[in-house]
PDB file of all heavy atoms in Angstrom:
ATOM      1  N   ALA A  19     -21.903   2.313 -18.590  1.00  0.00           N
ATOM      2  CA  ALA A  19     -22.742   3.454 -18.895  1.00  0.00           C
ATOM      3  C   ALA A  19     -23.755   3.781 -17.867  1.00  0.00           C
ATOM      4  O   ALA A  19     -24.160   4.960 -17.701  1.00  0.00           O
ATOM      5  CB  ALA A  19     -23.499   3.286 -20.178  1.00  0.00           C
ATOM      6  N   TRP A  20     -24.164   2.799 -17.010  1.00  0.00           N
ATOM      7  CA  TRP A  20     -25.141   3.077 -16.034  1.00  0.00           C
ATOM      8  C   TRP A  20     -24.619   3.810 -14.696  1.00  0.00           C
ATOM      9  O   TRP A  20     -25.221   3.977 -13.818  1.00  0.00           O
ATOM     10  CB  TRP A  20     -25.870   1.808 -15.563  1.00  0.00           C
ATOM     11  CG  TRP A  20     -25.001   0.601 -15.282  1.00  0.00           C
ATOM     12  CD1 TRP A  20     -24.739  -0.444 -16.107  1.00  0.00           C
ATOM     13  CD2 TRP A  20     -24.318   0.318 -14.145  1.00  0.00           C
ATOM     14  NE1 TRP A  20     -23.882  -1.233 -15.582  1.00  0.00           N
ATOM     15  CE2 TRP A  20     -23.663  -0.953 -14.353  1.00  0.00           C
ATOM     16  CE3 TRP A  20     -24.132   0.848 -12.872  1.00  0.00           C
ATOM     17  CZ2 TRP A  20     -22.826  -1.478 -13.363  1.00  0.00           C
ATOM     18  CZ3 TRP A  20     -23.446   0.291 -11.923  1.00  0.00           C
ATOM     19  CH2 TRP A  20     -22.792  -0.844 -12.222  1.00  0.00           C
ATOM     20  N   GLY A  21     -23.309   3.847 -14.665  1.00  0.00           N
ATOM     21  CA  GLY A  21     -22.539   4.283 -13.461  1.00  0.00           C
ATOM     22  C   GLY A  21     -22.770   5.722 -13.055  1.00  0.00           C
ATOM     23  O   GLY A  21     -22.896   6.461 -14.031  1.00  0.00           O
ATOM     24  N   SER A  22     -22.656   6.128 -11.867  1.00  0.00           N
ATOM     25  CA  SER A  22     -22.595   7.468 -11.337  1.00  0.00           C
ATOM     26  C   SER A  22     -21.360   8.149 -11.799  1.00  0.00           C
ATOM     27  O   SER A  22     -20.280   7.552 -11.711  1.00  0.00           O
ATOM     28  CB  SER A  22     -22.749   7.412  -9.861  1.00  0.00           C
ATOM     29  OG  SER A  22     -22.533   8.910  -9.208  1.00  0.00           O
ATOM     30  N   ALA A  95     -21.723   1.835  -8.037  1.00  0.00           N
ATOM     31  CA  ALA A  95     -22.489   3.078  -7.917  1.00  0.00           C
ATOM     32  C   ALA A  95     -23.323   3.154  -9.086  1.00  0.00           C
ATOM     33  O   ALA A  95     -22.903   3.502 -10.194  1.00  0.00           O
ATOM     34  CB  ALA A  95     -21.382   4.271  -7.889  1.00  0.00           C
ATOM     35  N   ALA A  96     -24.667   3.012  -8.834  1.00  0.00           N
ATOM     36  CA  ALA A  96     -25.664   3.030 -10.014  1.00  0.00           C
ATOM     37  C   ALA A  96     -26.218   4.403 -10.010  1.00  0.00           C
ATOM     38  O   ALA A  96     -26.828   4.921  -8.955  1.00  0.00           O
ATOM     39  CB  ALA A  96     -26.593   1.895  -9.829  1.00  0.00           C
ATOM     40  N   ALA A  97     -26.407   4.992 -11.174  1.00  0.00           N
ATOM     41  CA  ALA A  97     -27.120   6.292 -11.507  1.00  0.00           C
ATOM     42  C   ALA A  97     -28.331   5.881 -12.268  1.00  0.00           C
ATOM     43  O   ALA A  97     -29.189   6.789 -12.385  1.00  0.00           O
ATOM     44  CB  ALA A  97     -26.164   7.364 -12.090  1.00  0.00           C
ATOM     45  N   SER A  98     -28.330   4.939 -12.870  1.00  0.00           N
ATOM     46  CA  SER A  98     -29.478   4.441 -13.744  1.00  0.00           C
ATOM     47  C   SER A  98     -29.566   2.936 -13.662  1.00  0.00           C
ATOM     48  O   SER A  98     -28.693   2.196 -13.241  1.00  0.00           O
ATOM     49  CB  SER A  98     -29.355   4.867 -15.299  1.00  0.00           C
ATOM     50  OG  SER A  98     -28.173   4.297 -15.880  1.00  0.00           O
ATOM     51  N   PRO A  99     -30.761   2.370 -14.100  1.00  0.00           N
ATOM     52  CA  PRO A  99     -30.978   0.932 -13.838  1.00  0.00           C
ATOM     53  C   PRO A  99     -29.988  -0.086 -14.584  1.00  0.00           C
ATOM     54  O   PRO A  99     -29.625   0.340 -15.825  1.00  0.00           O
ATOM     55  CB  PRO A  99     -32.218   0.643 -14.277  1.00  0.00           C
ATOM     56  CG  PRO A  99     -33.066   2.102 -14.141  1.00  0.00           C
ATOM     57  CD  PRO A  99     -32.021   3.056 -14.527  1.00  0.00           C
ATOM     58  N   LEU A 100     -29.573  -0.982 -13.924  1.00  0.00           N
ATOM     59  CA  LEU A 100     -28.797  -2.057 -14.471  1.00  0.00           C
ATOM     60  C   LEU A 100     -29.708  -3.037 -15.273  1.00  0.00           C
ATOM     61  O   LEU A 100     -30.939  -2.862 -15.059  1.00  0.00           O
ATOM     62  CB  LEU A 100     -27.806  -2.845 -13.541  1.00  0.00           C
ATOM     63  CG  LEU A 100     -26.672  -2.215 -12.976  1.00  0.00           C
ATOM     64  CD1 LEU A 100     -26.979  -0.896 -12.163  1.00  0.00           C
ATOM     65  CD2 LEU A 100     -25.897  -3.202 -12.239  1.00  0.00           C
ATOM     66  N   SER A 101     -29.120  -3.930 -16.060  1.00  0.00           N
ATOM     67  CA  SER A 101     -30.057  -4.852 -16.723  1.00  0.00           C
ATOM     68  C   SER A 101     -30.814  -5.741 -15.785  1.00  0.00           C
ATOM     69  O   SER A 101     -30.269  -6.084 -14.676  1.00  0.00           O
ATOM     70  CB  SER A 101     -29.264  -5.697 -17.731  1.00  0.00           C
ATOM     71  OG  SER A 101     -28.189  -6.595 -16.975  1.00  0.00           O
ATOM     72  N   SER A 233     -39.150   5.376 -13.675  1.00  0.00           N
ATOM     73  CA  SER A 233     -37.695   5.696 -13.940  1.00  0.00           C
ATOM     74  C   SER A 233     -37.126   4.681 -14.854  1.00  0.00           C
ATOM     75  O   SER A 233     -36.385   5.121 -15.800  1.00  0.00           O
ATOM     76  CB  SER A 233     -36.890   5.724 -12.535  1.00  0.00           C
ATOM     77  OG  SER A 233     -35.552   5.790 -12.840  1.00  0.00           O
ATOM     78  N   HIS A 237     -35.398   5.522 -18.722  1.00  0.00           N
ATOM     79  CA  HIS A 237     -34.120   5.040 -19.117  1.00  0.00           C
ATOM     80  C   HIS A 237     -34.062   4.134 -20.288  1.00  0.00           C
ATOM     81  O   HIS A 237     -33.179   4.010 -21.064  1.00  0.00           O
ATOM     82  CB  HIS A 237     -33.362   4.519 -17.916  1.00  0.00           C
ATOM     83  CG  HIS A 237     -32.882   5.539 -16.983  1.00  0.00           C
ATOM     84  ND1 HIS A 237     -33.672   5.897 -15.821  1.00  0.00           N
ATOM     85  CD2 HIS A 237     -31.823   6.339 -16.971  1.00  0.00           C
ATOM     86  CE1 HIS A 237     -32.916   6.823 -15.194  1.00  0.00           C
ATOM     87  NE2 HIS A 237     -31.845   7.124 -15.755  1.00  0.00           N
ATOM     88  N   TYR A 238     -35.152   3.333 -20.353  1.00  0.00           N
ATOM     89  CA  TYR A 238     -35.195   2.192 -21.308  1.00  0.00           C
ATOM     90  C   TYR A 238     -36.591   2.287 -22.176  1.00  0.00           C
ATOM     91  O   TYR A 238     -37.294   1.372 -22.040  1.00  0.00           O
ATOM     92  CB  TYR A 238     -34.968   0.872 -20.743  1.00  0.00           C
ATOM     93  CG  TYR A 238     -33.653   0.729 -20.057  1.00  0.00           C
ATOM     94  CD1 TYR A 238     -33.356   0.926 -18.730  1.00  0.00           C
ATOM     95  CD2 TYR A 238     -32.481   0.209 -20.922  1.00  0.00           C
ATOM     96  CE1 TYR A 238     -32.311   0.695 -18.186  1.00  0.00           C
ATOM     97  CE2 TYR A 238     -31.239  -0.014 -20.340  1.00  0.00           C
ATOM     98  CZ  TYR A 238     -31.179   0.235 -19.009  1.00  0.00           C
ATOM     99  OH  TYR A 238     -29.857   0.100 -18.333  1.00  0.00           O
ATOM    100  N   TYR A 271     -30.334  -3.702  -9.956  1.00  0.00           N
ATOM    101  CA  TYR A 271     -30.082  -2.656  -9.197  1.00  0.00           C
ATOM    102  C   TYR A 271     -30.443  -1.326  -9.910  1.00  0.00           C
ATOM    103  O   TYR A 271     -30.246  -1.257 -11.194  1.00  0.00           O
ATOM    104  CB  TYR A 271     -28.497  -2.603  -8.748  1.00  0.00           C
ATOM    105  CG  TYR A 271     -27.961  -3.735  -8.108  1.00  0.00           C
ATOM    106  CD1 TYR A 271     -26.800  -4.372  -8.334  1.00  0.00           C
ATOM    107  CD2 TYR A 271     -28.799  -4.347  -6.977  1.00  0.00           C
ATOM    108  CE1 TYR A 271     -26.310  -5.465  -7.708  1.00  0.00           C
ATOM    109  CE2 TYR A 271     -28.233  -5.448  -6.336  1.00  0.00           C
ATOM    110  CZ  TYR A 271     -26.978  -5.962  -6.544  1.00  0.00           C
ATOM    111  OH  TYR A 271     -26.543  -7.101  -5.839  1.00  0.00           O
ATOM    112  N   LEU A 272     -31.061  -0.456  -9.130  1.00  0.00           N
ATOM    113  CA  LEU A 272     -31.600   0.822  -9.797  1.00  0.00           C
ATOM    114  C   LEU A 272     -30.778   2.143  -9.651  1.00  0.00           C
ATOM    115  O   LEU A 272     -30.446   2.807 -10.500  1.00  0.00           O
ATOM    116  CB  LEU A 272     -33.049   0.951  -9.367  1.00  0.00           C
ATOM    117  CG  LEU A 272     -33.959  -0.256  -9.604  1.00  0.00           C
ATOM    118  CD1 LEU A 272     -35.399   0.198  -9.197  1.00  0.00           C
ATOM    119  CD2 LEU A 272     -34.014  -0.560 -11.073  1.00  0.00           C
ATOM    120  N   ASP A 273     -30.453   2.296  -8.257  1.00  0.00           N
ATOM    121  CA  ASP A 273     -29.828   3.630  -8.002  1.00  0.00           C
ATOM    122  C   ASP A 273     -29.325   3.614  -6.564  1.00  0.00           C
ATOM    123  O   ASP A 273     -29.805   2.999  -5.648  1.00  0.00           O
ATOM    124  CB  ASP A 273     -30.903   4.717  -8.104  1.00  0.00           C
ATOM    125  CG  ASP A 273     -30.325   6.011  -7.746  1.00  0.00           C
ATOM    126  OD1 ASP A 273     -29.729   6.689  -8.548  1.00  0.00           O
ATOM    127  OD2 ASP A 273     -30.570   6.598  -6.572  1.00  0.00           O
ATOM    128  N   GLY A 274     -27.947   4.065  -6.333  1.00  0.00           N
ATOM    129  CA  GLY A 274     -27.409   4.150  -5.211  1.00  0.00           C
ATOM    130  C   GLY A 274     -25.996   3.571  -5.088  1.00  0.00           C
ATOM    131  O   GLY A 274     -25.468   3.040  -6.123  1.00  0.00           O
TER     132      GLY A 274
END
Side-chain angles (χ1 to χ4, degrees):
W20 47 262
S22 168
S98 61
L100 283 66
S101 62
S233 174
H237 283 99
Y238 295 94
Y271 297 141
L272 304 180
D273 182 76

